[in-house]
Amino acid sequence: MAGPHDRDCRPERERVHRPHGRPRREHRERRSTQNTPEKRISRCSEDEPKITESPQRRERREKRASRDIPDRSPRHKPRSPERRRRNEPTSYTSSERSSNPLSFDSLAKLDAHNEKSSRHIQEQEQLLAPKEKDRGYERRRKEKVASGRVLKDKARPRRKSQAGRENRRVVSGPLAEEGKVRKRGGYIAEESGKKRFGRKCWISVLVVVLLLVILIPVGVYASKKHGGGGGSASSGGSSGDGPAPANENLKDINESDIPAAAKNTYLDPFTWYDTTDFNVTYTTETIGGLPVMGLDSKWDDKKQANENVPSLDKAWLYGTMPIRGVNIGGWLSIEPFITPSLFKAYKPNQGIIDEYTLTKELGPQKAAKTLEKHYATFISEKDFQQIQEAGFDHVRIPYSYWAVTTYPGDPYVPKISWRYLLRAIEYCRKYGLRVKLDLHGLPGSQNGWNHSGRQGAIGWLNGTDGDLNAQRSLDIHTQLSTFFAQPRYKNVIAIYGLANEPKMIALPTSAVLDWETKAAAIVRKSGMQQYLAVGDGFLGLSKWKGQLSGIQNVMLDVHQYTIFNKNQINYPHQKKIEYACEGWTDQMKQSVNVATGFGPTICGEWSQADTDCALYLNNVNMGSRWEGSLPTGDPATSVTTPDCPPDSGTCSCDKANADASSYSDDYKHWLMVYAEAQMASFEVGWGWFYWTWVTESATQWSWKAGMDAGILPKKTWQRDFNCTTNIPDFNDLPENY
């Protein structure tokens, strides 16, 4: 690079300076084509020519001179002396430069530098030569396109922003220089040689979108129809797949009809996920402090569940006519093994194990949306229709205290499930099904199990707030019984449960019995005369003789399972049927006789499950007794070695949890006989309720899935085995699947 003392012997108009406003890159490109070896000299002297001019330039200059045309080249536009002095390098006279002569060494270095630069420029020219030919054409094309866009933008009316100012597209200098234009979403470089997104590309995109629109719904439908995983029998499922309800009945009302105080509350029908079969006319009416919002004012009790039972408006002869009912478990009171999809998304270290921790994790708003969608989709009117068609005549509906109210510190979703409980009762009425209401979750938890709402310590009649929670439970029954004492519920609600499964083996028996006596008095005082139900508390039926004898029309509710007992889960297949036909039958006979037992006794829960392998059955992220993978931390309940039939080999849950279509014919036959044996046994008492109607994946816990798989009867009364004949021989059936 020439220093400040190097001479510039070119004529003044030959010196190339960047015109004002020209981009530097373009200037450099032009100079690179001008600084050819034949136009450069290392330094000027009196013996050397001032400049070597190219033949082409000389020819153009001579033509202009012959025609007296001044040089108008934009690169050499004449400038005023003042501007020239300001912008051009300082020019030294001979006398000024002679006072600073270059040394011999400096001259040698300068010659070497110039020779190196000359070789570099020659190499660059060889590389740029093929591109120079196309550069002019590309520049003219871009200028033409830009001109067309300017005309198009001028013709298009400018949009105005919300503030009333015109929206202008601003292109910064560096972006315009690099050929980039700012578009919605970022910057797009319009580089030569790249194809633009043309018409054919758009057509291809539209075709792909149309195919996805067609194929995705078809795939979803096929997966639902042929889905495995244990044969989910849910009509909707907790995931709530499918389109949202249309809520057509909202068209008949205006949002202005909803008072300001009720807007965006559980009483505002415009916030409901599903308004199907609800009366959406706003009302402030309450009974027992509970809203009637959603109910119609008329009802009909003339429906009959089937030809074997009386219609709702006629008396049911309990003790003579057996109850054949089914539970709607895992719906209004969440139970993880019934709806594992609500819990699978969480890691074990997050500790999401029950409805308490789930709603706390989700937060109030998200929990309300998640659970209401579950309420609306997991059970629908179609389920009650199918329950009737399967031959059932009673439905047990578990629900929890937060359907009525919540207390400080509760994360539960308050009061939304109340509306779905009332609608479920109306669906039962429509199909002639009698209802057993069952309060599954009480304040503080009456058993510490996840289906009470909160897994862990018992805080009902126990602990610091035990008495407070007991009183809260009585207050809830005051509200509930006052509401259900209305004439509209006289026939459809047949049994009213006080508390599901109070853990009387861990609570003072006398305290529980005293509470139940108080609760029964409250219900009777409100005007309800239906049968009351109390749980046996796992004391055993023989311990209930003479208890609660001062209460009229009360049933003892026992839950019978073999898989939760260490000494019964390992029974061989043959012995399990024998135990149902003999052991449970004898217990029922003893209990229903007031001379030897309590009196009216029903089995409120049972299943045909052969193992405890169902996912989350023994709590979220816990194993099973069957495989010996249940370390509870309590020596009394921990099972760390397989508890399956002796000499059965390896007992794995893989086949136990498999889809029912993989069951052998012998195993299907055993499951059917085992279920029929239990039904026969419990009908020695006042009847039974199967646990449960539908699950997401546990086939042996779902009547709907079992019926579809051929391991449960199509009608509850159509059976081939009733314990009065010889038990079929299942000794050859493998005990480990």
Side-chain angles (χ1 to χ4, degrees), residues 63-291:
K63 287 182 180 180
R64 284 194 298 270
S66 63
R67 289 181 290 181
D68 294 328
I69 299 175
D71 187 1
R72 296 182 180 178
S73 173
R75 292 175 298 171
H76 309 289
K77 183 178 180 179
R79 289 173 291 180
S80 65
E82 180 65 22
R83 183 181 176 191
R84 189 181 305 121
R85 285 192 299 271
R86 184 171 63 251
N87 296 332
E88 292 181 356
T90 304
S91 178
Y92 299 95
T93 62
S94 298
S95 62
E96 289 172 339
R97 285 192 294 270
S98 63
S99 64
N100 297 284
L102 294 173
S103 65
F104 179 81
D105 292 337
S106 298
L107 292 174
K109 290 180 180 180
L110 184 60
D111 288 340
H113 175 75
N114 287 339
E115 183 178 355
K116 182 177 179 180
S117 299
S118 177
R119 288 197 304 270
H120 177 72
I121 292 172
Q122 287 179 351
E123 293 173 357
Q124 292 296 319
E125 284 187 325
Q126 292 175 0
L127 294 173
L128 295 173
K131 299 181 180 180
E132 285 294 319
K133 185 176 180 180
D134 295 331
R135 183 164 298 171
Y137 169 79
E138 182 66 15
R139 184 170 60 254
R140 290 192 297 274
R141 184 188 69 79
K142 289 184 177 181
E143 292 174 353
K144 185 175 181 181
V145 171
S147 299
R149 288 179 179 169
V150 170
L151 293 174
K152 186 175 181 181
D153 287 342
K154 286 182 177 180
R156 183 187 301 117
R158 288 175 175 168
R159 294 177 298 178
K160 291 190 176 182
S161 65
Q162 294 179 355
R165 298 188 298 268
E166 290 182 347
N167 292 323
R168 293 180 174 86
R169 185 177 62 178
V170 179
V171 182
S172 65
L175 292 172
E177 187 174 317
E178 295 176 10
K180 293 181 179 180
V181 180
R182 183 169 185 170
K183 298 187 178 181
R184 188 172 298 145
Y187 294 98
I188 301 175
E190 295 183 352
E191 300 176 2
S192 60
K194 291 188 178 182
K195 295 183 179 180
R196 299 182 65 192
F197 204 71
R199 182 179 179 184
K200 292 183 178 180
C201 294
W202 281 114
I203 293 175
S204 300
V205 170
L206 290 174
V207 171
V208 172
V209 170
L210 288 173
L211 288 174
L212 291 174
V213 170
I214 295 171
L215 294 176
I216 288 177
V218 173
V220 172
Y221 172 78
S223 66
K224 287 182 178 180
K225 185 175 181 180
H226 302 290
S232 174
S234 174
S235 59
S238 284
S239 59
D241 296 334
N247 296 342
E248 294 288 342
N249 50 352
L250 288 177
K251 295 179 180 179
D252 299 330
I253 63 172
N254 296 319
E255 288 192 61
S256 60
D257 297 335
I258 310 301
K263 285 186 179 296
N264 297 317
T265 70
Y266 71 99
L267 293 177
D268 183 356
F270 290 94
T271 67
W272 299 355
Y273 176 80
D274 182 17
T275 63
T276 305
D277 295 325
F278 284 119
N279 182 351
V280 294
T281 302
Y282 179 79
T283 178
T284 59
E285 182 182 358
T286 62
I287 298 176
L290 297 173

Side-chain angles (χ1 to χ4, degrees), residues 265-280 290-295 331-332 368 371-373 375-376 402-404 413-427 483-484 489:
T265 70
Y266 71 99
L267 293 177
D268 183 356
F270 290 94
T271 67
W272 299 355
Y273 176 80
D274 182 17
T275 63
T276 305
D277 295 325
F278 284 119
N279 182 351
V280 294
L290 297 173
V292 300
M293 178 75 180
L295 289 174
W331 179 42
L332 302 182
L371 291 190
E372 184 174 5
K373 191 174 184 180
Y375 299 152
W402 45 93
V404 175
V413 176
K415 302 179 181 180
I416 292 180
S417 60
W418 172 254
R419 182 169 70 250
Y420 288 90
L421 174 61
L422 298 186
R423 188 176 70 172
I425 295 172
E426 296 307 312
Y427 283 149
F483 188 91
F484 291 122
Y489 296 112

Side-chain angles (χ1 to χ4, degrees), residues 687-699:
W688 50 267
F689 291 85
Y690 187 82
W691 187 270
T692 181
W693 168 246
V694 64
T695 65
E696 287 182 343
S697 58
T699 303

Side-chain angles (χ1 to χ4, degrees), residues 299-314:
W299 65 91
D300 180 11
D301 287 344
K302 295 181 180 179
K303 299 295 182 180
Q304 185 179 6
N306 57 69
E307 63 273 17
N308 300 316
V309 298
S311 59
L312 294 177
D313 59 351
K314 293 182 173 56

Side-chain angles (χ1 to χ4, degrees), residues 401-607:
Y401 76 85
W402 45 93
V404 175
T405 190
T406 53
Y407 301 100
D410 280 347
Y412 302 116
V413 176
K415 302 179 181 180
I416 292 180
S417 60
W418 172 254
R419 182 169 70 250
Y420 288 90
L421 174 61
L422 298 186
R423 188 176 70 172
I425 295 172
E426 296 307 312
Y427 283 149
C428 288
R429 188 197 309 275
K430 182 176 180 178
Y431 294 101
L433 300 166
R434 287 168 168 83
V435 175
K436 178 182 186 293
L437 290 177
D438 199 85
L439 190 57
H440 240 56
L442 276 66
S445 176
Q446 71 278 15
N447 51 39
W449 292 323
N450 59 30
H451 49 72
S452 71
R454 189 172 189 180
Q455 178 181 322
I458 300 174
W460 178 80
L461 291 174
N462 183 61
T464 303
D465 295 328
D467 292 337
L468 173 63
N469 288 324
Q471 183 58 50
R472 286 172 171 174
S473 302
L474 294 176
D475 294 340
I476 288 171
H477 277 302
T478 299
Q479 289 187 266
L480 289 170
S481 59
T482 301
F483 188 91
F484 291 122
Q486 297 178 69
R488 71 180 297 145
Y489 296 112
K490 177 182 178 181
N491 297 322
V492 68
I493 295 181
I495 308 170
Y496 183 88
L498 299 179
N500 174 67
E501 294 184 348
K503 197 173 183 181
M504 297 175 70
I505 55 176
L507 293 169
T509 301
S510 60
V512 176
L513 293 174
D514 180 63
W515 180 89
E516 290 175 338
T517 301
K518 293 177 181 178
I522 288 172
V523 175
R524 292 293 184 242
K525 184 178 179 180
S526 71
M528 287 192 73
Q529 299 303 319
Q530 287 92 334
Y531 273 93
L532 302 178
V534 296
D536 78 325
F538 310 100
L539 294 177
L541 294 179
S542 61
K543 301 289 182 68
W544 278 87
K545 183 179 182 299
Q547 300 292 352
L548 302 177
S549 57
I551 304 174
Q552 298 296 316
N553 293 337
V554 59
M555 296 179 180
L556 185 62
D557 186 348
V558 62
H559 300 168
Q560 300 285 33
Y561 300 103
T562 59
I563 59 172
F564 296 124
N565 299 319
K566 286 185 178 181
N567 298 327
Q568 295 177 348
I569 188 174
N570 59 8
Y571 284 172
H573 288 116
Q574 195 78 13
K575 188 171 183 180
K576 286 179 180 176
I577 297 177
E578 292 174 356
Y579 185 75
C581 286
E582 298 172 5
W584 285 336
T585 299
D586 290 342
Q587 292 178 29
M588 275 291 179
K589 287 180 178 179
Q590 181 180 357
S591 183
V592 295
N593 187 345
V594 292
T596 56
F598 178 83
T601 306
I602 61 172
C603 181
E605 294 183 18
W606 65 278
S607 83

